Amino acid sequence: MADVSHNRGDITSHPDASEMRERYARMLSGRDVALVDGPVFLLGLYCAASPWILHYTTSQPALVTHNLIVGIAIGLLALGFTQTPERMYGLSWAFCAVGIWMIIAPWVVGDSPDAGVALNNIIIGALAVILGLMCTATAARSAPRP
């Protein structure tokens, strides 16, 4: 019978050891903003749930749908930042644009929103702009120089 036990020794003799080290180093170098991914996802989750948290589902039905869709989009951006950071951090400017849209959305989408609804969207938008700028700055800093 064949010996199928795994030897827990050193992997330096493995034929792909150098390639694995390079891939690991590349993966870690793209994770400069790993601490931003979580807050971005939580911001999207809050944005999607905010109409029910603040109870404006009956007074602003258009903003309910709007915040739900934008919150899901923010959450998907956060998942993209986590899964493929080297590809997604180039889209950090789009996250800033979403934040600016959230700031003006109560007056564009909503129907004369009250102060609480407007303040909620302004805070969500401002946080999105700040987090987007953090992602953009980190992406620009970690981009390969020609």
Side-chain angles (χ1 to χ4, degrees), residues 4 14 20 25 34 39 41 49 55 72 81 94 97 102 104 126 129 137 144:
V4 291
H14 192 279
M20 287 188 290
F41 183 76
H55 304 291
I72 291 170
F81 290 158
M102 283 300 294
I104 62 171
V129 168

Side-chain angles (χ1 to χ4, degrees), residues 2-146:
D3 182 19
V4 291
S5 62
H6 295 286
N7 204 357
R8 300 266 183 208
D10 191 17
I11 69 163
T12 55
S13 62
H14 192 279
D16 296 330
S18 62
E19 181 184 341
M20 287 188 290
R21 276 192 213 101
E22 289 173 13
R23 185 180 297 163
Y24 185 69
R26 250 192 341 250
M27 181 189 73
L28 287 180
S29 69
R31 301 302 301 148
D32 292 341
V33 242
L35 294 176
V36 178
D37 300 346
V40 169
F41 183 76
L42 290 175
L43 183 67
L45 185 65
Y46 174 75
C47 180
S50 65
W52 292 275
I53 293 171
L54 298 177
H55 304 291
Y56 62 86
T57 54
T58 56
S59 65
Q60 296 291 329
L63 270 177
V64 170
T65 307
H66 171 268
N67 280 17
L68 179 64
I69 291 170
V70 172
I72 291 170
I74 291 172
L76 289 175
L77 274 174
L79 291 176
F81 290 158
T82 303
Q83 293 296 318
T84 56
E86 64 279 351
R87 295 176 72 191
M88 289 295 293
Y89 283 128
L91 291 176
S92 300
W93 61 268
F95 191 49
C96 293
V98 169
I100 293 169
W101 171 250
M102 283 300 294
I103 292 172
I104 62 171
W107 296 279
V108 176
V109 177
D111 182 31
S112 58
D114 63 355
V117 173
L119 186 62
N120 177 59
N121 276 27
I122 289 170
I123 291 172
I124 291 171
L127 288 173
V129 168
I130 290 169
L131 291 172
L133 289 174
M134 288 173 62
C135 290
T136 303
T138 303
R141 195 173 15 137
S142 66
R145 304 284 181 225

